[in-house]
Amino acid sequence: MVARLHTWLARIRGLLRPGDVDAEIEQELDAHLALAEDDKVRSGVTRAEARRMARLELGGVAQLREASRETRGLPRLDTFWLDLKLGVRMLRKTWGLTLIGGLALTTAISITVGLFNVYQAVTGASLPLEEGDRVVSLMVWDAAAQTTGGVAQSDFERWKQSVRSVVNLGAFRTVERNLVVGNRRVELVSVAEITASGFDVARVPPLLGRPIRSEDERLGAERVVVIGHDVWASVFSADREVTGRVVRIDEVPHTVVGVMPDTFAFPVNHQYWTPLRTTLQASQQSPEPTVIAFGRLAPGVALPTADTELRAVGLLRTGNQDDDRQARAMSYVRGISGTGLGAREWFLFVTAGLLLLPPCANIAILIYARTVTRQAEFAARHALGGSRARIIGQLSLEALLLVAGATVASLVIVSRVGAHLQRLVRLPNGNPFWLDLSSIQPETLLFAVIIAAVAAGIVGLVPALQAVGRLTDAAALGGRSTLKLGAAWTGLVALQVGLSIAVIPVAGEMAWGIVRPAVAGPGFAAEQFLTARVTLGQAQNSNLVEPGDLERFGRLHTQFARRLEALPEVAALTRSAVAPGREPRLEIEVEGDSQAGRSADGLRASQHAPARVNAVDPSFFETFDMGVVAGRIFDGTAGGTDQVVVNRALARHIAGDGSPVGWRLRDSPTSDAPPTETRGDVAVAGGGSWQEIVGVVDDLYANSGDLTVYRPLPENQHPLSLSMRLTTGRPQMAQRLRDLGSEIDADLYVSEVRSLAEVYEDSHRSVYLVGLMLGSGALSVLLLSAAGIYALMSFTVARRRREIAIRAALGGRSTRLLVGVLGRAAQQIGIGAVAGVLLALWLGTYLPIEAIGGADVPGLIPAAAVTMTVVGLLAAAGPARRALRLDPTEALRDNQP
Amino acid sequence: MAETRSPILQGTLDLMVLKTLDQMGPLHGYGIARRIEQVGGHALALNQGTVHLCLVRLLQRKWISARWGTSDNNRRAKYYSLTKAGRRQLQAEAARWERVAGVIWRILQPEGRG
């Protein structure tokens, strides 16, 4: 042990003073030779002969010097610089390969790392607050759905009393409120109702005035509001005397008591804060309002401890789903963003990872090809004493250099693109204050390093092992590398072709599925339609409206609709539960109607599909010009709640080319019901009872491919969405609608006035970017794979140049030779193409591409196969023709392939 | 004659060098190589250069120390001598070698008779 330590220290000393070490070796060997020479002269040999004998006995001086240097320096470090220089020189020498390989790797790594970074920025970021990593959210975790949700107020109150591992326990909820400042117009703003502890957790002092205090939370306390810096600057013209001014929030006067500094937007992206009054008959309401709870880990407590405590404290009332719901403490951002890695995210990562494979295989093959041409060099180095490990190290280092360069370039690209995304991305509910897409997260850096290591392994190590495994000194030293590009080579070509053919259709379909709705647009003049949400007061959910009020709401919105229809700009008007395009997605179960004999194989198993669900007025279909394809639409007056109409996409999904009219469907009992807040908009008739499909209508958004179920609109639907077809543009329509509403009744609250084109764009924009990235990635991989296969095939044929030229000189007919060469190339490509097509078909069958947002693109697999084959054959033809024209004497002289 | 020379068993050169320095006192590299050749009676195929590599190794482990001096015929040479740690190592190695050699000898004996 001690001896080993001494050895290392000595080696480090040697490394630091390489000149001294060299000089010492020289002196010592000289001394040795002189002593030996003297000795031999004394025994009667001539000095010249003595010198010769002494050298002979000492052995090769050069090797000795080298070995001694290796013994004295650090085992690898001293050779590292040499290898590094050689690596850079080799990369520069084969600059074409370096360029193609570097580009391929950069593209692939950028996509993979970029996706990871975005995901990390959205869900894994730590809060940009003092000790932000100790801020936690206390959520209700639904294990089955893998989502987080808010906590009932009664549970929150209980947690506040009993949880010890989290301090400053607070809660908030976001509400939409009408704000009036002075004579300004009514503005709909998003307000955080938050406990005073929220400001303690954030540890950010106000710019002016004070934050919310706990006494503000008491019933009967003066109503106060704290405003954000942006609002202070824009609405209050940065008035330093703003505190004490009164604003009206939902008609209730609130006193401004404080201004928070710039960049403060805790808890998510808020600019208005009012006290959360949690004690208010919360538990009597049904469903009980939920809040999002948060706090700071108590000093010395780690997150797992807090999580364990919270799980033990548990939930008071878990309703019917208590089996799957748990109280959990988690990192703040993770809790707020509400989900772990869903199936879709995993799929994106796996696809992105697969995208990395072809370029890697590509470069691995090309490097292997180059390695094969360097066999003679390796054999010579091996014969001169270079160990296999050293040669492998050298080759791996070359790959590592290439990959490291690509990784650095990728990180730069990811950060640049991230900065653009940061400006472009507008999340549906506003960007949270911690969202920073432009900087590289630490986890991303780690991920990039892992990816780079894997890529370097594939690109460098595998070909190196292959090459060194084949070191047969004599054959290679012969100069003419007699090495055959054997089965491994055919395998590599096949792998390359196969992977490209298999991966490209999957990535393409996925990308197309995501991009299509945005690229192709809604498929009708959506900008001519205006939608608005109508509610009774601020109630977001019919559960919060008394039955008597529902009737009143019915009268009010009918009156409102009539007033709207009388407007000259409105050509037609219809009602639905939610604006078309904003329907919640539910898992539905469909049962074929075997009695009616509509399915060929008798009993038909039930099938599940994710569908959007809306409840609509019968006039809905006419207003949107959706033709009836089969059956009929439901009769509004008969009020058949057991009847539904489905769109063409759903009909095709469940019945193929047949008609599903007469079949039955229901909400899947196994489906993880979305929280009532999102689902409450749509009346789910019967809550899981079977409904008959009475008709099939055209898709509204022709290009979205959304499966949609339309149910009859219940009598007292609340809230309600009104859709109008306009005859002209919509100048000032939003304000007019609001004014009209409040003219009819102060409680008739009109919000979300938007054109259908906006609704459509909003629901597709966020995924559009991801799709675009994936699509461009798939396209680059296609191009790079094509380039790779081209390089490969031309290399393969170029190696046979001598043989082809000689056979041509001996009288071989050129067409026959060409056919021979192409035949062999076709064989290699063919194996890959068949394997690739089979793999692609298998992937197409087993991957739920359409279920997770992909779209079938017919002919993508054959197109990929044909492209790759043609590219391969063209690549083989070029060098073969050049070889035919070559002078045989020249070919014979030429040792290099 | 070269065919009858045996190559040095791996790991034994260190032991031989240590033992030589123990017996002869401070010695230069050429001297050590000559001494081993003499004792070996030309039965060992010793590449004198490898002795130098061995000396570097032993020096790094601090089992021997080195200083420059002058030889009998007035040549400058590096003289090596055993350190305390080297002597301990020699004893341990010699004991181990004896054990191993004994085992090998015992294994070979019946084979030789049979």
Side-chain angles (χ1 to χ4, degrees), chain B residues 23-85:
Chain B
Q23 282 178 336
M24 309 286 295
L27 213 57
H28 49 63
Y30 174 67
I32 297 169
R34 287 288 300 148
R35 171 72 188 165
I36 293 173
E37 277 175 347
Q38 278 168 7
V39 174
H42 299 285
L44 280 177
L46 178 69
N47 188 339
Q48 291 182 1
T50 54
V51 172
H52 283 281
L53 294 181
C54 174
L55 287 169
V56 170
R57 263 199 314 273
L58 297 177
L59 255 181
Q60 284 177 341
R61 291 172 194 165
K62 301 250 174 190
W63 289 341
I64 57 173
S65 59
R67 60 173 177 79
W68 285 96
T70 314
S71 72
D72 300 340
N73 43 353
N74 233 359
R75 293 273 185 193
R76 228 170 89 79
K78 207 176 195 178
Y79 279 80
Y80 297 92
S81 48
L82 210 56
T83 61
K84 264 187 197 159

Side-chain angles (χ1 to χ4, degrees), chain A residues 42-187:
Chain A
R42 266 202 300 276
S43 64
V45 184
T46 63
R47 189 151 285 276
E49 178 62 13
R51 190 173 301 146
R52 197 188 67 81
M53 284 169 69
R55 280 185 176 278
L56 213 60
E57 280 172 7
L58 184 65
V61 177
Q63 278 114 317
L64 208 56
R65 212 177 280 142
E66 181 63 25
S68 169
R69 210 175 281 143
E70 260 182 47
T71 317
R72 289 179 204 235
L74 281 180
R76 290 235 52 90
L77 260 178
D78 56 342
T79 57
F80 177 79
W81 285 113
L82 199 66
D83 284 354
L84 196 69
K85 270 193 278 186
L86 191 62
V88 171
R89 206 176 300 150
M90 284 313 294
L91 288 177
R92 224 169 40 200
K93 193 174 157 199
T94 51
W95 61 271
L97 173 64
T98 308
L99 199 69
I100 290 186
L103 275 177
L105 278 171
T106 307
T107 312
I109 296 176
S110 298
I111 294 169
T112 320
V113 171
L115 279 175
F116 187 86
N117 197 48
V118 169
Y119 181 78
Q120 203 60 32
V122 173
T123 65
S126 77
L127 285 184
L129 292 175
E130 190 190 322
E131 288 191 279
D133 54 333
R134 296 194 60 80
V135 180
V136 292
S137 52
L138 312 177
M139 310 294 293
V140 174
W141 172 250
D142 188 336
Q146 296 280 298
T147 54
T148 55
V151 56
Q153 290 193 3
S154 49
D155 273 321
F156 169 65
E157 290 299 328
R158 212 165 49 84
W159 290 355
K160 226 162 62 171
Q161 304 303 322
S162 47
V163 173
R164 292 281 163 268
S165 51
V166 178
V167 295
N168 294 342
L169 201 64
F172 78 94
R173 68 168 155 240
T174 304
V175 290
E176 304 259 289
R177 293 284 181 258
N178 285 309
L179 174 82
V180 182
V181 180
N183 307 328
R184 293 170 69 99
R185 274 205 175 139
V186 185
E187 197 188 349

Side-chain angles (χ1 to χ4, degrees), chain A residues 19 214 236 252 258 314 329 406 423 439 504 647 649 675 693 745 748 893:
Chain A
S214 50
F236 296 91
V252 180
R423 284 196 291 274
S439 49
I504 287 165
N647 73 342
I693 300 174
D745 193 301
L748 196 63
R893 238 196 341 259

Side-chain angles (χ1 to χ4, degrees), chain A residues 326-387:
Chain A
Q326 282 178 321
R328 297 290 300 268
M330 52 186 78
S331 88
Y332 185 80
V333 172
R334 180 154 178 256
I336 301 288
S337 40
T339 176
L341 268 188
R344 192 192 174 98
E345 284 83 6
W346 272 120
F347 187 79
L348 279 177
F349 282 124
V350 171
T351 311
L354 282 177
L355 282 178
L356 191 63
L357 271 182
C360 276
N362 217 326
I363 304 155
I365 292 168
L366 287 174
I367 289 185
Y368 176 55
R370 202 192 59 194
T371 309
V372 170
T373 66
R374 285 166 69 189
Q375 279 289 324
E377 175 202 329
F378 297 142
R381 283 173 61 178
H382 189 52
L384 290 173
S387 64

Side-chain angles (χ1 to χ4, degrees), chain A residues 412-487:
Chain A
V412 172
I413 291 172
V414 166
S415 135
R416 290 279 163 86
V417 172
H420 275 285
L421 279 180
Q422 182 81 32
R423 284 196 291 274
L424 281 175
V425 169
R426 286 285 163 265
L427 294 178
N429 298 317
N431 293 357
F433 71 98
W434 60 83
L435 185 71
D436 177 12
L437 296 174
S438 57
S439 49
I440 305 282
Q441 309 288 328
E443 292 84 354
T444 308
L445 217 53
L446 186 70
F447 181 73
V449 168
I450 294 171
I451 287 279
V454 171
I458 299 175
V459 167
L461 204 56
V462 175
L465 289 173
Q466 267 282 335
V468 171
R470 288 175 167 223
L471 275 181
T472 47
D473 305 5
L477 264 178
R480 235 168 261 146
S481 91
T482 49
L483 262 150
K484 292 279 182 292
L485 297 170

